[in-house]
Every structure is written in structure tokens, then in C-alpha cells.
Amino acid sequence: MSTIELRSLTKRFHRLVAVDDVDLTVGAGEVVCLLGPSGCGKTTTLRMIAGLEAPTSGDVLIAGRRVNDLKTRDRNIAMVFQFYALYPTQTVAENLAYPLHADRLPPAELAKRVQRVSDALQLGHVLDRLPGQLAEGEKQRVAVGRAIIRDPTCFLFDEPLSRLDVQLRETMRGQVKEILTGLNKATVIVTHDQLEALTMADRIAVMRGGVIEQSATPHDIFNKPTNLFVASFIGTPQMNLIPATLIGPGDAGAWRFRIGGQTAAIVVDPAVGRLAEGTAVTLGIRPRNIDLAAGGADDGLAATVDLIEPMGAETLLHLLEEGQDLRVVVDARLEPRVGDKLRLRFRPGQTHVFDQSERRVTA
Amino acid sequence: MARDTSRGVRDAGWGWTAFAGIVAFVYFFPVLWIIVTAFKTYNDALAVPAKLFFTPTLENFVGVFSRAYSAGGQAVNTGLELFFLNSILCAGSSVIFALIIGTLAAFGFSRFPLKGNDTYLFIILSTRMLPPIVVIIPIFLMFRVTGLSGTYPGIILLYTAFNLPFAVWMMKSFFDELSVDVEDAARLDGSSGFRVFWKICLPQVRAGLAATAVFGLILTWNEFLFALLLTGVETRTVPVAMAQTIGGDIGVRWGLLAAIETLFLVPVAVVTFVLQHHLLRGVTFGTIKR
């Protein structure tokens, strides 16, 4: 079985704790994205799986076997590096064939395998070129080809698409996902690009400061962030995080909060009932989950349009409410103007309440 | 002449090209003088003002290999071909040894740094900080005691030690520039440490090997002082032999000396020419940002 398991994995560089007691299991055929800002320990974790970095403590298990003491070359892992790490003095064909050197295949068999991979990745026309003569997207495909040419236990990707331009990234994202689905191997992708993680992963592990903050499906990461960090890190435009005070229960399952000088009734997770009245909380709501109240209505939160960012089909409004910046995505046809006073309604059940320990309040 | 304005580069024009030509000519003039003199007769070579037009002769070149010389009042029956072979053997093998040892050492210093790595590197370089004349006395004494004096292993050993610091420093700077990711990739692809070095790293530093070899070759090929004091009659190198043709019954035979020098230039010139493609990259290492 192709699985990866990390048990209390820790890596210290002198005083700096890069990876702190990480537990993670990647099942056979599962694609897990390690997502986090730079310096969160995601690449170090990946390098420990590969054996390029020795853990300070904890275990790495591959296919159920502890590999801490196994050399990198004996782990049978394929990895795609951020800067591709192609062998600069070897042609594309030689690069692709390199991982097979230990198998001592007959030349005909070797050529056949190279052919198969180069066909799958449309590299046939560049087989005789050196890496320095390739376009960025071709280098990327060679790096992927080199990883998939043999039959490794698992796959590691370090920021695989970060060097491509936006358009190429979009096509490659689809291609890589397709390849990964076909491989059906335990795969770990390191990325700081949430879109990459959300589209390619079966499961996302959000990391910060060497710790996995949340490990869940892309859907749950997006819709049920476990704490303030995950909530703010995932999603564009960023989730609104609004300091508020819990007043108490309102009508129809809603709870009343004081936001600045105003009071708003918002339908939230009933688990907030266990918080004492008067508790300071942070409300989190995504900019697409706020509606503008019809003109003349006096419910919802009053705010003034401060800045308008057209995004094509939608428009991102920045509104000010007593110094608090609120982001709201509205239909582009609305065409509001700076200085307009609007009333905002939070869609029921879409507002998260975070307590003072920054954790989401939930049953 | 096409002006390549697409890269923002314009060629310098005829004026500067001519100026560069003059400077290059001034630099090359001594070499030219030697080559021309090699084809002159004894009398033509001594003529003042120097003859620009003369009947070229090969007698000097014939003389290089066929005559016995009176050197330092002592009759020497060996022709210069032996000394040329000596020079090739000593310079060639010491460069090869220095390249092998130096490259391995440099890879170690670059990839597996010791505690106090820089100190070790400094110590290695410090052996070249003293002028040769200072170290010649202890080395001369050591060679006498160990019986290395006048032997091939002795002078090759010395030249290898001579070339090593340069080889280590030069090659280390090349290894330092390589992407470690590429080596990690090779390890993941199942390569042993040695295979990573041999198949992945070494091909990437070919320019460095070429540059190091040429510099080392020029250094040892032209070396005079140690060769004078530490080689014997049979192991003498060309620079020493050349000096010993001066003197004798008819004074300095400039034509003969020039012929030896011309032949002496050939091997280094050929090697440099063959490796020039690599050299250009080799000597500008580290100056071009990737």
C-alpha cells in the first residue's frame, strides 16, 4: 500500500522549531496539500519525508514501514522540485531516463518508457534539448515526467506550479490533477497558493509556525475553518473578521452582537449559547456572503462605501464602519459610488464566531 | 556591420576596434619577435637594426634536437627532446593529480563543510603566500634527505602540491554555485553519493576543470626555480635546459633559444586553444548572475 504517515514529527534548527510535533496520514491514492505562508515548515516537512532532512524527533512511515534510517535513494520516492532541478548537462530524454538507471533496463525498453512519458506530456519535440533551452512550461513537464517514469511508492511536489505564469498555471493545474488521479499514489503537494490546494487536493493541511492548524477536505477548510488563522488564510477576497461583543439570543435563532456602536442580529452556530453574555468575539464572514439591504430598510449594519475594486462580473466594495474595513462582493451591475451609505445583511448561518482563543465556536 | 540594437548592445565601431588591435599587437609583439627570430640565421638574429626581410631557415629547429650542448662547461649528450618529454610529463601529470585530488577536496569542502571550514581553506591557500625563494631551502633539504631530489616523483609531487591550493579554491567556487536541489533530485532518483558527484556535479563544472587545468599547466610548464634546484641531469625540464643553452663558446645563440621557445609555446597554446570555449566561462565564474 502506498501510504505516508508522520508521527509526532519535529524538526529543530538550533533554537528554531521549524516543524512542531506534526501528525499526518496520507492514504493510498490520496492527495494531501500542505498549505501555508512561507516559513511555516511545509517544505521542511516534505524534505523529511524525502529523507533530505533528518527529523529531530518523531517518525516517518512509508507504506507502513519506518524509514527514518533509510537513505533518500532507498526510499523510492519521486519528487518534483520548485525550480524543477533538471540535470542541466543532460538532454530531456536523458533526464527522463535518469531515474531508471538503477533498473539496468535494455536500451529498447528504456526508449519505450521514455517515449511513453514524453507522449503523455507532449515532450516529443524537445527530447534532444538541454534543460536550458526549454520554456518554463516544458521544464515543468520534464520535471513531472521524470517523477512518473518509474513506479515510486509516493509522490512529493514542492510548489510545482509557482514558477509558471497565470495562464500556464491554470492549464498545468488541470494536467497535474489528471496525472495524479491516474497514478493513484499517496501524494503530498506543498504550496502557498490556496487555489492550487483547493483544486488539486483531496485533503488540505493548513500549516502555521510548524504546526498543522487544520487538516480537512477543501470543502471543510473553506466552510468550517477551525480557527481565525485558517479562516483568514483561505479564500479570496479574504474573510471579514469583525470584532464584536455577544449581547444574547435574539429572534428566530439569531444572536445579537454589538459591532462598534450598532447592534446586529445574526444567525450563527447555536453553540455560541455556551459563551457568557458580554464576551468579546470575532465574527468571520466571507465577502460573498453579505447582501446589501434594499433601500429604506433599517435592519442590518450601516456602513459607508470607501473604495471600489471592479473585478469583472463582480465588484469588491470596501466599506467603513467606525474604522472597521468591511469587504463585500456585489454584482457589478449595482454600480455603487464612494460615500454611499449602505446597509449590510449577513446571510443566515454563514457567519462564524471565533472566541478569544481564536477557535471557531461550534457544537 | 550589423548593429545588434535588440539587446541594447552596439558594437564599438572601427576606431575602438583599431585601438584594441594596437594594444593586442603590443602584447603579442614579444611572442612574434621570438617566432620570427627562430627562423633567422645566427647573423640575421644579431643584425642591428633588426631585419624585417630575411631568408627563413630551419637550422635552429634542427639544432634543437640534434646537437649536444656544452652546458656549464659540462658536456651533455642528451638532446632537448628528453627535456620536452620531461616538461610534458612533469607539468601534465602534476596537473592531472592536482585536478583529481583538488576536485574531490573541493567537493568535500563545498558539500560537507567541516567545523572551521574556512580555516582549513585558508591554511591550504597560505602555502602559496610565501615567495618560492623562501620555501626552496627547506624543500631542498627535505628532498635531499628523502632522496626525492632529481627524480620524477619528486618534481611531480612538488608541482602537484603547487597546483593543489589553486585547484581546491577554484573548484570549490564552482561547486558552490551548483544548485543543491539538482543533487537532491538525483538522490531521490536513486543515486549514490558518488554517482551524484560523477554523473550530476562533475559534468556541470567542466568549465572549471578546464580553467583550472590551463592555469595549473601554465604555472608548472613555466616554472624555473624549483626545476633548477630539484631536477637532475635526466629529469631537467625545458625552462632549465633553455637557460643552460646560454653561454658556451659563441655567446648566446638567439636563434636557437628562440626556436626552443617557439616549440615550448606550442603545447600550452594548443591546450588553451582547445579549451578556450570552456575557459571563457571558467575565468568569469561567479561574475554572471544566473
Side-chain angles (χ1 to χ4, degrees), chain A residues 47 50 52 72-74 76-79 81-90 98-99 101-102 146 150 156, chain B residues 178-196 199-206:
Chain A
R47 290 177 64 84
L52 298 170
T72 298
R73 67 173 146 127
D74 299 321
N76 195 23
I77 295 174
M79 178 162 164
F81 287 76
Q82 182 175 10
F83 300 107
Y84 315 131
L86 303 179
Y87 308 128
T89 56
Q90 301 182 6
Y98 190 88
H101 70 83
R146 199 173 59 180
R150 69 199 161 103
L156 308 177
Chain B
L178 299 186
S179 155
V180 180
D181 272 358
V182 172
E183 286 155 55
D184 286 343
R187 259 182 276 278
L188 280 154
D189 285 340
S191 309
S192 64
F194 183 76
R195 198 185 155 87
V196 170
K199 285 276 181 186
I200 304 298
C201 295
L202 216 48
Q204 291 183 71
V205 296
R206 272 181 302 205

Side-chain angles (χ1 to χ4, degrees), chain A residues 133-148:
Chain A
Q133 302 164 313
L134 298 180
E136 208 70 4
E138 288 166 342
K139 286 186 199 170
Q140 218 279 339
R141 296 209 297 276
V142 176
V144 171
R146 199 173 59 180
I148 62 175

